[in-house]
Amino acid sequence: DTGVSQDPRHKITKRGQNVTFRCDPISEHNRLYWYRQTLGQGPEFLTYFQNEAQLEKSRLLSDRFSAERPKGSFSTLEIQRTEQGDSAMYLCASRASRDRGRVDTGELFFGEGSRLTVL
Amino acid sequence: AQSVTQLDSHVSVSEGTPVLLRCNYSSSYSPSLFWYVQHPNKGLQLLLKYTSAATLVKGINGFEAEFKKSETSFHLTKPSAHMSDAAEYFCVVRGLWIKAAGNKLTFGGGTRVLVKP
């Protein structure tokens, strides 16, 4: 399978615990995105990497959240001291860079998501 | 700034009848517009995209959408619904210029489609 893969698919944890999600993008894609989707809502942008550099972070990403992409390949999203409000689906997406010009219209390819339930 | 409004949170159609999902957008820049579909327990899949070429865009599974700048709309249609079309659909906007609008997609709230036999 050469799509975006996420692990784990489901995580149930108790409030206050730390959790980490992993995303493996499509291998030739240098751009990687994290989104969060709560029940009945559309996905909301969290953060974005180009290679190993984290270029943009949403205000939704509180200081309990940290994302890394150390070698420019897979990425991890860690949530510390989880709260019940963190319960959501965490989506990862990737795409190739086509920014030799300034116009960039590349499609995002999404993984199936990691569903977090905080009890 | 950019935003997307999907005018219907739920749409119910009978199999074989047309489907219309309405989307209005707001963008300070020439937008790229997308429709994604999400089946239960599946990842988001791109149906089609508009990127300043033809205003009528054809996508997969018989869907198409028309970009109307004067109405700031990008409605999704399909002439004949199939049971497999039951899913959630998201209208998405993205600024065209990298440095001005960033790279992130802005999603609408979604429209859940129910197809009755």
Side-chain angles (χ1 to χ4, degrees):
Chain A
D1 183 25
T2 57
V4 178
S5 62
Q6 293 188 244
D7 183 71
R9 294 289 311 280
H10 302 274
K11 178 71 176 179
I12 300 174
T13 190
K14 293 182 179 178
R15 186 165 55 91
Q17 298 294 305
N18 299 344
V19 297
T20 299
F21 300 114
R22 175 179 169 127
C23 171
D24 287 90
I26 293 171
S27 59
E28 64 268 25
H29 286 182
N30 64 338
R31 297 187 177 187
L32 185 147
Y33 302 76
W34 285 98
Y35 283 79
R36 181 173 71 184
Q37 185 178 19
T38 53
L39 202 61
Q41 302 295 320
E44 297 172 290
F45 170 80
L46 291 179
T47 190
Y48 150 66
F49 290 85
Q50 180 165 316
N51 300 312
E52 65 276 7
Q54 188 173 19
L55 296 186
E56 192 169 351
K57 291 167 60 173
S58 162
R59 281 173 288 183
L60 293 175
L61 216 64
S62 76
D63 56 6
R64 296 185 297 106
F65 287 70
S66 62
E68 295 183 343
R69 196 183 182 198
K71 298 181 180 178
S73 56
F74 73 92
S75 176
T76 58
L77 176 68
E78 181 183 15
I79 309 173
Q80 296 182 324
R81 306 180 303 281
T82 52
E83 302 173 356
Q84 287 184 324
D86 298 331
S87 295
M89 177 77 85
Y90 290 86
L91 299 169
C92 177
S94 72
R95 70 175 176 83
S97 169
R98 292 193 292 159
D99 58 357
R100 289 185 182 151
R102 295 184 64 205
V103 176
D104 185 1
T105 61
E107 172 189 350
L108 285 191
F109 293 83
F110 283 84
E112 295 186 346
S114 293
R115 182 172 295 284
L116 173 64
T117 301
V118 182
L119 302 176
Chain B
Q2 53 198 38
S3 65
V4 179
T5 302
Q6 290 184 242
L7 299 169
D8 307 291
S9 59
H10 292 81
V11 167
S12 181
V13 298
S14 297
E15 191 175 19
T17 64
V19 181
L20 169 64
L21 304 183
R22 298 182 294 166
C23 171
N24 286 100
Y25 71 91
S26 170
S27 177
S28 304
Y29 306 94
S30 297
S32 290
L33 293 158
F34 308 79
W35 277 97
Y36 278 83
V37 61
Q38 187 176 38
H39 288 93
N41 300 314
K42 296 291 186 184
L44 287 153
Q45 181 185 17
L46 181 69
L47 277 179
L48 50 80
K49 64 180 179 182
Y50 166 77
T51 56
S52 77
T55 57
L56 183 62
V57 182
K58 294 189 183 299
I60 61 172
N61 301 334
F63 285 93
E64 63 181 38
E66 186 172 10
F67 173 71
K68 291 186 177 180
K69 187 175 181 179
S70 60
E71 299 177 8
T72 61
S73 70
F74 190 57
H75 301 334
L76 180 71
T77 60
K78 183 173 180 177
S80 176
H82 190 272
M83 295 300 291
S84 62
D85 295 327
E88 185 137 26
Y89 293 78
F90 294 96
C91 183
V92 184
V93 66
R94 180 170 168 283
L96 192 60
W97 297 99
I98 298 174
K99 295 186 179 182
N103 287 273
K104 60 184 180 287
L105 303 181
T106 300
F107 284 75
T111 298
R112 185 167 296 279
V113 172
L114 173 65
V115 182
K116 297 177 290 186

